[in-house]
Amino acid sequence: MAEPSVPSSGGGSLPLIESELYFLVARFLTTGPCRRAAEVLVQELEQHQLLPKRLDWEGNEHCRSYEDLVLSNKHVAPDHLLQICKRIGPILDKEIPPSISRVNSLLGAGRQSLLRTAKDCRNTVWKGSALAALRRGRPPEIPVNHGPPPNLVEVNRAKQLTGYATYRTSFPGSMYQHIRMHRRILGHLSAVYCVAFDRTGHRIFTGSDDCLVKIWSTHNGRLLATLRGHSAEISDMAVNYENTMIAAGSCDKMIRVWCLRTCAPVAVLQGHTGSITSLQFSPMVKGSMRYMVSTGADGTVCFWQWDADSMKFSNRPVKFTEKSRPGVQMLCSSFSIGGTFLATGSTDHVIRMYFFGSETPEKIAELESHADKVDSIQFSNGGDRFISGSRDGTAHIWRFQQTEWRSILLDMADRLPGDSHSEEDRFMKPKVTMIAWNQNDNFVVTAVNNHLLKVWNSYTGQLLHDMVGHTDEVFVLETHPFDSRIMLSAGHDGNIFIWDITKGIKTKHYFNMIEGQGHGAVFDCKFSSDGQHFACTDSHGHLLIFGFGCNKPYEKIPDQMFFHTDYRPLIRDANNYVLDEQTQQAPHLMPPPFLVDVDGNPHPTKYQRLVPGRENCADEHLIPQLGYIATSDGEVVEQVIGQQTVDQDEQSLEPNILDGMIRQLQQQQDQRTGSDQEVVPNGLQNGEGTPRRGFRRPSLDIQSPPNIGLRRSGQVEGVRQMHQNAPRSQIATERDLQAWKRRVVVPEIPLHLFRKQEEYRIAKGEEERELYATERKRKTFQFSEKSDSEASLIQSKRRLHRRKYPSYRTRNNTEQLDSSDEERDDCFGFINQEAEESEGSGSSDEEEEWKSDKKSNSNSSSDSSSRYSDWIADAGINLKPPVRTSRCKAIRYCSTSEDEVSAEKSFPPKRRRKRRKKPKPKKQEENVQNSTPTQPVNEDVLYDYHPPVWITDTALRKSPFVPQMGDEVIYFRQGHEAYIEAVRKNNIYELNPHKEPWRKMVLRDQELVKIVGIRYEVGPPTLCCLKLAFIDHATGKLSDKSFSLKYHDMPDVIDFLVLRQFYDEARQRNWQAFDRFRSIIDDAWWFGTVLGQEPYQPQYPDSHFQCYSVKWDNGEIEKLSPWDMEPIPDNVDQPEELGSSVSVTYEEMEKLLYKPQEGEWGKRSRDEVCERIISGIDQLLNLDISAAFAGPVDLSTYPKYCTVIAYPTDLCTIRMRLINRFYRRISALVWEVRCIESNASTFNEPRSAIARSAKKITKQLLKFIEMMINVFQELLTEK
């Protein structure tokens, strides 16, 4: 019992009950063993006048001694206080029974406390019968009013009464019919594509297209905080396993991380050059080190390392650039339960696997089983399997077995026995829109674009159920956290279903109908960790909260919940941290905002108290005083009555309703404290290491325009109008800052629960690493006929080196090479040379153009570029290999000031014709050409030298143009000029204006030429050097004139070399205005309408280069060339939405590619020749000598290889290109085969063992090709 404060002598008297208690205590002590203590107590009681006083007849008090009180109260025995205590317990037990009867204690707690009330004891006493009846039709949780769980005795008693029932019997699926929608809250102004629960289930996060992330209470729907900072749509969110941080990715290419306890910014991560497509925290636990992974539309995967103790992120991620071709985007990602494996899906149809078993993440496999983009992927809940879904209409369940990733195919075209195809299904190509595992991983569910949900056995791949109910595509599948029967689905039709997937039936249905607006498409749903709630978000900005039980707590909140500061403009510092523009404060340090509706009107008092920090404000401090004024045009509007400030001598109208209220509160606070608050000094306000601007005094704040803050009338946009209402007094004091640092917005996970979860993840991680290590010991080298889902792990690892670093950057190449002549012999005697090297005037100048135009090459050997036999070409086959050069004597590198810069930082993902707005140019561009060449300090610099994908890709595409020996092409001067201008503008490499071909000869707007020489220069960027010989239009033969050029593939720069075959086909189409057409961009068909034909440039009136004006279905108007336009056949798939695209099928792409001409593959067809050569390469790969040339060079072992060799190749690459019919003629194949020998002799000593082996391999393969061609020729001769 707390002691009462002792009044000073002469002070006020104590209450009578306390004075009497002091007397009874002293009386009790006088008869016990503590008599000395009693004497001291009596003295102090009399000294401080704490004993009961006597009143006279006039009501005056008189002090009394202890002895007087004893004599006047003889009925009070020494044990009087003891007897009172003994009587209290039994009397209270009759009114409020204790938890344990007949046990009385003055020190009891809870239901044993003598201070207990009926409200504290509403719990029901546990009985076996009560426990048995609890599960009948009730939710699976123990009701709150039953307190702690029953003991083992009562549980066993319940089993005796009911028997050992199964889970399904104890928890029937029908109980989910009791789930109801607690509340639908409008909290965003745009569609909400992201929703997530925290790890405790007490908080809900929503991420919207209005650039905001909001935090809500699960149990009552309160809006707790708004996280501001992003400047574009929120694309994904993730909460870490410690429940201390939330990360949000956006289309602004940034990832922002906030502290969940204080809402302070933790990090702003900038590693992508495209939109963030997925975000995941790794479950892996390795000391305090953790990882977060992000994927982007720029084709990169970034692994961000952070420390769990300090919550600090590394600014430089481990980055993998996965662009097997221009325009590739990474779409999705998923971690295994232990965090050892990561699987990603992309638009290039490839699944990439990453392994976290070593110090840094590494890529271990590329799985090429799908035929269209992989846009959904998910690991199982407890095993080492994962499922991938693709737009090709299939899903694959993958498992790592016997040294490789093996899969079970799920074909969406499969049907249950007895089901017949509908008429619509016959013409609809099935596509997987979403996939999910059930809780125990026995089943997987796939959503298909025909609105069906298919349930599959995850071990056999058998189709079990088709669940019907949706009427539009489903993009949400969410499994229950512990009930393996239950799956939730939602889609664009506004329907939300709870399914029993074991029976294939729906248990609960909700339709998201919005009054006056139709239905709202549901974009995301999540279950809470306890399974008692789930939250959904829709296309109209709503958050929908569902759950068991009563929705009474949710009735206390309004339907529309916004903070008045949600849409205020922000200013950004150099690190992209943000401050509120008007108050100059970090958003998380601003005072509690006001709660407003979508129109910007403040809510009533009872709702304002829902704002954290405003719970205890007086009513007059929460509702502004309103009046009415007339505007200049005579309109009467509601406005805040003017408030006079300390800095104003005259009355003025407040520019905003909330400004005046906040100012009034601040003034009252200043008056109470008796001193003005000083300006917070410059410095770090949140400990994040981000420089902040100094705060301004309220009196110095700029006045807001008078029309800002009015209620919405006509053109005003509602809550968005409040983005300029700058509360001039909304400045945080030191006391405020300390209070806000102590607040907890999101609670932490209980320590015991967190440790249990962490131990489980650690154990699963060790299990996964052990599995991978065990399987790798049995790894064997195998080759399959084609690259498919069964591709071996070693093949996957070799493929990844070919695609790992496709990017290039604007850095110098300072390579010095010495050339040496090598003997060159013809292999095929039956081929007639039809052209010789040009020997006319000006040839020396043309040869000089093969030297690098870069500054660093000024000291290069003068003849190193002229000794390529590739200058000699014929109509079909070029027989001569590139000249071998000696080993590089000196290599110098040029480094930039940035450690990790993606190639796309200079070049956005290439699209031949843009579909989106171009990013704004940076204010400063680093001039890397003038930097001093230095030796690189780390391997990141070497990544810049990797050849780009347009050179190394094994599949031929219509665009970009990849030159091959013997190609007849149309050269467009306009396109070449545009390329040179782009290079000069972006300062990619130094150009010599005097070597531009039109300065040395007369070039028309378009010329018919033939590629008679090819050479590549080491980057960055890797340049392709071509020698082009003119073709006489009359005779079709090569003329004696030629010119040279060099180029590389650039985004937003149109190809200026077009195959003659494509050009001739395009000229036959006579496009007219209003004709419909389609065009391929990034492996998809885009549709549009021809507007008319006019020259691209007036000085070239007859050129066909971009001569058509077209309008895409999405409304954009653009210029196109006729060879970029294709007619629309009948009965083709049309876009699902106007302005969207349709994937290109393999058959369609095959029809658009180059068709070999007679004689280009000898006397046989290309297919026959390719298949024979593939069989020969397979035999060659069985030889031990070919092992070093079987796959790409391991760049982690030989990192400088890419700084010497500009065009790497190997036997597997050649084989894959033959499978894909990459080569247009046999001379192109021969040229690449000779590169194997040339590369080995260039990088190694010419007479080294590896160089000699390369020479033997090349000789054997060329000999086989010659023999095979001769055999075909003899067979045809005999016929």
Side-chain angles (χ1 to χ4, degrees):
M1 183 175 61
E3 295 182 1
S5 59
V6 178
S8 59
S9 57
S13 60
L14 291 176
L16 179 61
I17 189 76
E18 293 187 25
S19 301
E20 291 177 346
L21 180 61
Y22 279 126
F23 171 69
L24 291 179
V25 171
R27 190 85 171 99
F28 178 72
L29 292 177
T30 55
T31 58
C34 302
R35 295 185 179 181
R36 292 177 56 189
E39 295 176 358
V40 174
L41 176 61
V42 170
Q43 293 176 4
E44 290 186 348
L45 293 175
E46 292 177 346
Q47 177 184 351
H48 298 293
Q49 301 178 5
L50 300 178
L51 294 173
K53 294 179 174 58
R54 179 180 60 83
L55 296 176
D56 60 17
W57 64 277
E58 293 181 349
N60 298 322
E61 292 184 343
H62 300 276
C63 294
R64 305 175 68 180
S65 66
Y66 174 75
E67 294 299 334
D68 290 342
L69 285 171
V70 173
L71 293 175
S72 60
N73 295 282
K74 293 182 180 180
H75 64 283
V76 178
D79 62 347
H80 190 81
L81 179 62
L82 177 62
Q83 295 301 324
I84 291 175
C85 294
K86 289 181 178 180
R87 293 288 301 275
I88 290 176
I91 294 175
L92 183 62
D93 290 352
K94 293 180 180 180
E95 293 293 329
I96 307 174
S99 57
I100 303 176
S101 59
R102 300 184 300 278
V103 176
N104 295 320
S105 171
L106 299 178
L107 308 179
R111 295 188 62 181
Q112 294 296 122
S113 173
L114 295 180
L115 302 177
R116 65 182 180 269
T117 63
K119 183 179 180 179
D120 299 330
C121 303
R122 290 178 180 173
N123 297 19
T124 304
V125 178
W126 274 108
K127 295 181 179 179
S129 57
L131 177 65
L134 174 66
R135 303 304 183 190
R136 300 306 177 189
R138 300 286 294 276
E141 88 285 4
I142 296 175
V144 177
N145 64 346
H146 279 72
N151 58 36
L152 186 61
V153 175
E154 299 294 349
V155 172
N156 289 332
R157 175 59 178 161
K159 290 181 178 179
Q160 294 174 9
L161 294 174
T162 63
Y164 289 83
T166 63
Y167 184 89
R168 182 174 299 178
T169 305
S170 299
F171 306 118
S174 58
M175 68 184 176
Y176 289 96
Q177 296 175 0
H178 300 291
I179 288 182
R180 66 177 70 182
M181 186 180 74
H182 290 317
R183 196 69 168 185
R184 179 169 57 203
I185 309 165
L186 179 62
H188 294 276
L189 295 183
S190 301
V192 186
Y193 281 90
C194 305
V195 67
F197 281 88
D198 76 322
R199 300 289 174 179
T200 66
H202 299 320
R203 298 290 183 264
I204 302 172
F205 307 99
T206 54
S208 170
D209 282 1
D210 62 4
C211 313
L212 299 181
V213 175
K214 292 194 173 186
I215 305 177
W216 311 79
S217 171
T218 303
H219 305 293
N220 54 32
R222 287 177 59 189
L223 175 59
L224 302 178
T226 297
L227 306 179
R228 297 190 288 159
H230 280 297
S231 59
E233 299 91 336
I234 307 299
S235 55
D236 201 9
M237 300 187 305
V239 179
N240 68 334
Y241 286 86
E242 291 76 11
N243 208 49
T244 57
M245 294 186 299
I246 183 172
S250 170
C251 294
D252 62 9
K253 310 171 188 178
M254 295 184 191
I255 302 167
R256 293 184 179 271
V257 186
W258 291 275
C259 171
L260 287 182
R261 186 176 181 273
T262 64
C263 294
V266 173
V268 180
L269 307 176
Q270 305 174 62
H272 291 277
T273 59
S275 300
I276 309 301
T277 54
S278 73
L279 205 56
Q280 303 278 342
F281 277 98
S282 171
M284 184 190 68
V285 177
K286 185 181 290 186
S288 63
M289 185 183 72
R290 303 287 190 273
Y291 276 101
M292 179 182 72
V293 67
S294 60
T295 62
D298 55 357
T300 62
V301 182
C302 290
F303 296 91
W304 306 89
Q305 185 176 327
W306 60 282
D307 188 271
D309 296 333
S310 63
M311 292 175 61
K312 290 185 177 180
F313 278 78
S314 173
N315 291 327
R316 181 164 158 263
V318 178
K319 180 185 292 187
F320 292 84
T321 303
E322 308 290 8
K323 300 190 71 171
S324 57
R325 64 173 182 269
V328 169
Q329 301 179 7
M330 305 303 294
L331 298 178
C332 52
S333 61
S334 179
F335 273 105
S336 60
I337 189 66
T340 303
F341 298 106
L342 172 74
T344 63
S346 61
T347 57
D348 64 354
H349 320 164
V350 179
I351 301 169
R352 295 171 174 85
M353 301 300 301
Y354 301 86
F355 180 63
F356 283 75
S358 56
E359 292 299 323
T360 58
E362 60 176 327
K363 186 164 65 172
I364 58 173
E366 289 185 351
L367 312 177
E368 302 180 7
S369 180
H370 289 288
D372 204 338
K373 63 181 179 180
V374 181
D375 55 7
S376 52
I377 201 162
Q378 186 180 15
F379 261 96
S380 59
N381 296 298
D384 55 352
R385 299 182 294 162
F386 72 91
I387 182 174
S388 60
S390 171
R391 290 289 172 155
D392 63 1
T394 66
H396 286 260
I397 301 175
W398 300 87
R399 189 168 196 167
F400 190 64
Q401 286 181 322
Q402 299 179 1
T403 76
E404 60 190 13
W405 292 92
R406 299 173 178 267
S407 70
I408 299 175
L409 173 65
L410 309 180
D411 190 349
M412 299 305 110
D414 289 352
R415 293 199 165 267
L416 294 171
D419 283 359
S420 59
H421 288 270
S422 65
E423 192 68 24
E424 182 180 357
D425 291 340
R426 294 179 181 178
F427 299 97
M428 177 182 290
K429 178 183 177 182
K431 299 177 182 178
V432 178
T433 58
M434 188 52 63
I435 46 91
W437 297 83
N438 77 324
Q439 194 275 334
N440 61 12
D441 299 335
N442 289 334
F443 306 105
V444 292
V445 180
T446 59
V448 193
N449 62 333
N450 60 3
H451 317 153
L452 288 179
L453 302 183
K454 292 180 175 288
V455 184
W456 311 78
N457 185 307
S458 66
Y459 295 99
T460 64
Q462 179 186 0
L463 178 61
L464 303 176
H465 303 291
D466 279 341
M467 300 190 297
V468 182
H470 284 283
T471 58
D472 203 343
E473 290 193 353
V474 176
F475 291 95
V476 178
L477 287 177
E478 182 72 10
T479 185
H480 195 278
F482 58 80
D483 194 335
S484 60
R485 300 165 299 168
I486 300 303
M487 183 76 69
L488 184 149
S489 70
H492 288 183
D493 56 2
N495 286 306
I496 303 170
F497 288 100
I498 297 178
W499 304 91
D500 186 336
I501 61 174
T502 59
K503 299 178 180 178
I505 60 175
K506 52 191 171 190
T507 301
K508 181 71 174 179
H509 170 231
Y510 175 79
F511 184 60
N512 185 31
M513 175 58 69
I514 305 172
E515 184 177 355
Q517 302 180 54
H519 76 272
V522 181
F523 287 156
D524 201 7
C525 295
K526 289 292 187 298
F527 269 108
S528 62
S529 56
D530 60 2
Q532 305 311 304
H533 297 87
F534 67 86
C536 305
T537 55
D538 69 12
S539 56
H540 290 60
H542 292 102
L543 167 65
L544 295 80
I545 304 177
F546 294 81
F548 288 106
C550 176
N551 61 355
K552 191 171 183 179
Y554 300 88
E555 296 174 355
K556 300 178 181 179
I557 62 173
D559 292 332
Q560 302 172 1
M561 300 183 72
F562 298 86
F563 288 148
H564 81 281
T565 55
D566 280 349
Y567 300 101
R568 279 186 175 173
L570 301 168
I571 55 176
R572 306 173 191 275
D573 62 15
N575 297 320
N576 272 296
Y577 286 85
V578 297
L579 298 178
D580 186 79
E581 185 176 85
Q582 279 81 22
T583 63
Q584 303 275 314
Q585 289 181 271
H588 73 286
L589 295 179
M590 294 175 63
F594 283 89
L595 200 63
V596 300
D597 61 17
V598 70
D599 294 323
N601 302 319
H603 282 299
T605 304
K606 63 178 182 178
Y607 295 141
Q608 297 296 340
R609 297 191 189 282
L610 299 175
V611 179
R614 294 198 178 274
E615 297 90 342
N616 300 318
C617 287
D619 289 353
E620 62 269 17
H621 294 164
L622 295 177
I623 300 300
Q625 300 296 320
L626 300 179
Y628 295 89
I629 63 171
T631 61
S632 58
D633 57 2
E635 181 184 4
V636 177
V637 296
E638 204 171 26
Q639 182 61 284
V640 177
I641 297 177
Q643 303 282 347
Q644 185 172 4
T645 68
V646 295
D647 299 307
Q648 293 173 323
D649 296 327
E650 59 184 10
Q651 201 84 353
S652 64
L653 291 174
E654 284 293 322
N656 183 271
I657 296 175
L658 301 178
D659 286 356
M661 199 64 254
I662 295 174
R663 171 183 290 176
Q664 183 182 10
L665 292 175
Q666 185 66 38
Q667 289 176 348
Q668 293 177 0
Q669 181 181 2
D670 292 344
Q671 293 172 2
R672 288 195 302 271
T673 58
S675 62
D676 294 331
Q677 299 295 338
E678 295 296 328
V679 178
V680 179
N682 293 343
L684 304 179
Q685 300 301 323
N686 58 355
E688 303 304 327
T690 305
R692 308 293 187 196
R693 294 190 183 183
F695 298 139
R696 299 176 293 178
R697 291 182 183 272
S699 60
L700 299 180
D701 278 6
I702 301 173
Q703 299 288 331
S704 300
N707 63 327
I708 298 299
L710 301 179
R711 292 171 180 255
R712 180 159 62 178
S713 57
Q715 77 281 8
V716 185
E717 198 184 343
V719 69
R720 281 197 190 273
Q721 66 168 350
M722 314 195 72
H723 68 289
Q724 296 184 26
N725 58 351
R728 290 177 288 279
S729 59
Q730 195 167 354
I731 303 298
T733 65
E734 288 290 351
R735 183 177 60 186
D736 296 331
L737 297 179
Q738 293 300 322
W740 295 328
K741 287 181 180 179
R742 291 192 298 268
R743 69 179 176 179
V744 177
V745 179
V746 179
E748 296 182 357
I749 302 178
L751 184 59
H752 70 283
L753 182 60
F754 171 71
R755 287 179 176 173
K756 183 178 180 180
Q757 294 174 351
E758 188 175 70
E759 290 172 358
Y760 176 75
R761 299 201 310 272
I762 292 174
K764 294 299 291 186
E766 293 176 351
E767 179 182 323
E768 291 166 358
R769 286 188 288 272
E770 180 65 25
L771 168 68
Y772 183 68
T774 302
E775 294 294 337
R776 287 190 64 183
K777 293 178 182 179
R778 300 201 299 265
K779 180 189 287 188
T780 57
F781 187 84
Q782 300 176 4
F783 283 102
S784 60
E785 183 63 20
K786 292 189 177 181
S787 176
D788 54 14
S789 62
E790 304 299 323
S792 68
L793 192 59
I794 183 65
Q795 287 174 292
S796 299
K797 295 187 79 172
R798 286 178 173 172
R799 281 197 300 272
L800 75 89
H801 290 298
R802 194 160 61 245
R803 296 173 177 165
K804 189 172 183 181
Y805 309 110
S807 57
Y808 45 89
R809 274 177 254 173
T810 57
R811 295 191 181 176
N812 245 345
N813 173 32
T814 58
E815 180 177 331
Q816 279 189 326
L817 296 173
D818 290 337
S819 300
S820 63
D821 291 332
E822 190 72 15
E823 181 177 294
R824 300 181 293 266
D825 298 323
D826 289 358
C827 291
F828 313 133
F830 72 93
I831 300 173
N832 297 321
Q833 296 285 345
E834 294 185 2
E836 296 295 330
E837 181 177 350
S838 173
E839 298 292 338
S841 60
S843 62
S844 59
D845 292 336
E846 294 167 7
E847 298 291 347
E848 285 297 322
E849 283 200 35
W850 284 72
K851 300 179 184 179
S852 175
D853 282 334
K854 304 173 188 177
K855 287 185 177 181
S856 57
N857 279 10
S858 58
N859 297 326
S860 299
S861 173
S862 61
D863 61 346
S864 61
S865 300
S866 62
R867 298 203 179 179
Y868 278 88
S869 65
D870 300 285
W871 286 123
I872 304 174
D874 62 358
I877 302 179
N878 172 32
L879 306 180
K880 307 296 183 180
V883 173
R884 298 174 184 167
T885 56
S886 62
R887 184 168 182 167
C888 180
K889 291 185 177 181
I891 302 175
R892 295 177 294 169
Y893 307 93
C894 175
S895 63
T896 68
S897 60
E898 296 180 9
D899 292 330
E900 179 72 21
V901 183
S902 173
E904 290 75 22
K905 186 152 288 189
S906 294
F907 308 112
K910 180 182 185 305
R911 303 191 68 151
R912 295 180 58 251
R913 292 172 292 279
K914 59 182 175 60
R915 295 283 174 213
R916 299 177 181 176
K917 294 181 180 179
K918 293 184 179 179
K920 295 181 179 179
K922 297 181 181 286
K923 294 182 179 179
Q924 295 180 352
E925 289 289 344
E926 186 177 44
N927 186 358
V928 299
Q929 302 300 330
N930 298 327
S931 54
T932 305
T934 58
Q935 189 70 17
V937 295
N938 55 52
E939 294 183 1
D940 291 344
V941 176
L942 299 179
Y943 295 168
D944 304 345
Y945 290 82
H946 287 251
V949 175
W950 71 277
I951 291 177
T952 59
D953 202 356
T954 59
L956 197 60
R957 291 174 174 81
K958 191 171 182 179
S959 177
F961 173 72
V962 180
Q964 295 183 11
M965 288 299 299
D967 279 342
E968 293 185 3
V969 297
I970 306 297
Y971 163 85
F972 291 92
R973 177 175 171 176
Q974 296 164 278
H976 193 190
E977 290 176 345
Y979 165 81
I980 290 178
E981 181 61 26
V983 171
R984 185 176 290 112
K985 180 179 179 181
N986 292 285
N987 197 21
I988 297 174
Y989 59 88
E990 186 178 356
L991 294 169
N992 186 349
H994 300 291
K995 292 187 178 181
E996 294 170 356
W998 47 81
R999 297 184 183 274
K1000 297 187 297 181
M1001 64 177 62
V1002 177
L1003 283 179
R1004 295 174 295 178
D1005 51 352
Q1006 56 192 48
E1007 298 283 356
L1008 176 60
V1009 295
K1010 183 174 184 176
I1011 298 177
V1012 295
I1014 302 177
R1015 186 175 59 84
Y1016 290 89
E1017 284 186 359
V1018 174
T1022 301
L1023 295 178
C1024 177
C1025 308
L1026 300 179
K1027 185 172 183 179
L1028 306 174
F1030 290 89
I1031 298 178
D1032 191 310
H1033 285 272
T1035 63
K1037 296 183 179 180
L1038 294 179
S1039 68
D1040 57 352
K1041 293 183 179 181
S1042 64
F1043 65 97
S1044 303
L1045 58 85
K1046 60 181 62 177
Y1047 80 106
H1048 71 288
D1049 185 50
M1050 286 185 65
D1052 294 331
V1053 176
I1054 310 300
D1055 290 337
F1056 58 91
L1057 294 174
V1058 179
L1059 285 171
R1060 180 182 184 178
Q1061 184 179 104
F1062 294 167
Y1063 177 81
D1064 292 339
E1065 292 175 355
R1067 288 193 61 184
Q1068 296 176 8
R1069 308 187 189 106
N1070 186 19
W1071 294 101
Q1072 301 296 327
F1074 307 108
D1075 284 351
R1076 294 283 294 166
F1077 74 98
R1078 60 178 182 172
S1079 180
I1080 291 182
I1081 303 176
D1082 294 344
D1083 292 348
W1085 288 114
W1086 296 81
F1087 295 75
T1089 304
V1090 177
L1091 298 180
Q1093 180 179 358
E1094 59 181 358
Y1096 180 66
Q1097 292 175 319
Q1099 60 267 37
Y1100 304 110
D1102 298 326
S1103 174
H1104 291 85
F1105 185 81
Q1106 292 194 301
C1107 64
Y1108 286 100
S1109 295
V1110 302
K1111 182 177 182 180
W1112 299 105
D1113 286 352
N1114 62 6
E1116 293 182 14
I1117 296 178
E1118 210 168 358
K1119 301 285 287 186
L1120 282 188
S1121 302
W1123 46 89
D1124 292 326
M1125 304 159 61
E1126 297 289 337
I1128 304 177
D1130 297 331
N1131 300 325
V1132 298
D1133 291 338
Q1134 294 294 328
E1136 299 172 355
E1137 298 178 5
L1138 186 65
S1140 61
S1141 62
V1142 175
S1143 299
V1144 179
T1145 65
Y1146 175 81
E1147 293 76 16
E1148 289 175 333
M1149 181 62 74
E1150 193 175 33
K1151 293 179 181 178
L1152 296 176
L1153 295 180
Y1154 181 85
K1155 301 171 184 61
Q1157 303 300 301
E1158 183 178 357
E1160 290 185 329
W1161 291 90
K1163 300 296 183 179
R1164 288 281 180 169
S1165 69
R1166 179 173 63 176
D1167 290 342
E1168 291 178 299
V1169 175
C1170 288
E1171 292 301 322
R1172 288 296 298 271
I1173 298 176
I1174 289 170
S1175 64
I1177 293 177
D1178 289 341
Q1179 296 177 24
L1180 193 61
L1181 287 169
N1182 293 326
L1183 303 177
D1184 294 338
I1185 194 175
S1186 65
F1189 311 98
V1193 173
D1194 188 348
L1195 296 177
S1196 60
T1197 306
Y1198 303 99
K1200 294 185 179 180
Y1201 184 84
C1202 56
T1203 66
V1204 179
I1205 303 302
Y1207 188 88
T1209 189
D1210 56 273
L1211 293 176
C1212 281
T1213 299
I1214 295 174
R1215 182 181 184 277
M1216 187 58 62
R1217 287 178 170 174
L1218 286 167
I1219 292 175
N1220 296 329
R1221 305 301 189 257
F1222 178 91
Y1223 304 104
R1224 288 188 277 267
R1225 59 196 57 82
I1226 201 168
S1227 59
L1229 168 63
V1230 171
W1231 182 89
E1232 182 158 355
V1233 169
R1234 290 190 176 277
C1235 286
I1236 296 178
E1237 178 186 0
S1238 176
N1239 291 347
S1241 300
T1242 301
F1243 184 75
N1244 306 279
E1245 292 295 339
R1247 298 186 180 181
S1248 62
I1250 192 72
R1252 292 196 302 270
S1253 298
K1255 183 177 181 179
K1256 293 179 181 178
I1257 290 294
T1258 303
K1259 183 178 180 180
Q1260 289 295 327
L1261 185 53
L1262 292 176
K1263 185 176 180 180
F1264 176 84
I1265 296 173
E1266 177 187 10
M1267 180 179 64
M1268 182 265 303
I1269 293 293
N1270 289 336
V1271 169
F1272 281 158
Q1273 186 176 12
E1274 291 174 2
L1275 290 175
L1276 290 174
T1277 302
E1278 292 176 1
K1279 291 182 180 180

